[in-house]
């Protein structure tokens, strides 16, 4: 090994431990510092959703602000799962749900049928779906 390669390896290891990305147990301590993404539920009374996304039951499990079919959040990037998301549930993939207060006045790229609003990212972990709703 040349001295240059040895210096690079030493610098890489030093940086790894400085950033606290390596641990003797093999766990990534940085992962514990990143909070999990959560879906913000709405309250129906008083309603905290925008008029374009009423507070509705998502599969009878939780309450979220739901955009009208074919629409997504206004002024929000389609992959911003902190403000809008979809659930990967058969026959409901087209529904876009948003954080309370977010407007849903932007027409999706393809607003029709089961493939509607595919530009909006799926978000897992908000709801523990019963087996009959879960995708197999």
């Amino acid at each position: 090994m040349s001295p240059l390669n040895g210096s690079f390896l030493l610098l890489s290891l030093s940086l790894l431990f400085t950033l606290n990305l390596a641990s003797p147990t093999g766990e990534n301590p940085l992962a514990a510092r990143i909070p999990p993404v959560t879906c913000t539920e709405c309250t129906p009374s008083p309603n905290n959703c925008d008029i374009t996304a009423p507070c509705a039951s998502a599969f009878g499990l939780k309450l979220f602000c739901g955009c009208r079919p074919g629409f997504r959040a206004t002024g929000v990037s389609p992959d911003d799962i902190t403000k809008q998301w979809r659930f990967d549930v058969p026959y409901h993939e087209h529904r876009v749900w948003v954080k309370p207060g977010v407007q849903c006045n932007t027409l999706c790229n393809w607003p029709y049928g089961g493939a509607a609003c595919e530009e909006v990212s799926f978000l897992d972990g908000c709801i523990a779906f019963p087996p009959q709703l879960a995708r197999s």
Side-chain angles (χ1 to χ4, degrees), residues 29-67:
L30 186 60
R33 295 181 191 159
I34 301 171
V37 174
T38 58
C39 305
T40 307
E41 288 189 68
C42 58
T43 56
S45 182
N47 190 346
N48 62 347
C49 297
D50 185 78
I51 195 167
T52 61
C55 188
S57 173
F59 318 105
L61 302 171
K62 290 188 177 185
L63 296 172
F64 297 112
C65 303
C67 296

Side-chain angles (χ1 to χ4, degrees), residues 29-115:
L30 186 60
R33 295 181 191 159
I34 301 171
V37 174
T38 58
C39 305
T40 307
E41 288 189 68
C42 58
T43 56
S45 182
N47 190 346
N48 62 347
C49 297
D50 185 78
I51 195 167
T52 61
C55 188
S57 173
F59 318 105
L61 302 171
K62 290 188 177 185
L63 296 172
F64 297 112
C65 303
C67 296
R68 298 163 298 193
F71 286 83
R72 64 180 183 84
T74 301
V76 176
S77 172
D79 59 353
D80 184 351
I81 57 173
T82 64
K83 295 194 176 119
Q84 70 176 344
W85 60 90
R86 294 183 305 135
F87 294 121
D88 191 13
V89 175
Y91 311 109
H92 295 280
E93 304 93 338
H94 67 285
R95 290 295 311 264
V96 176
W97 305 91
V98 295
K99 185 177 179 176
V102 174
Q103 289 186 351
C104 288
N105 279 329
T106 299
L107 195 62
C108 292
N109 292 346
W110 180 257
Y112 310 107

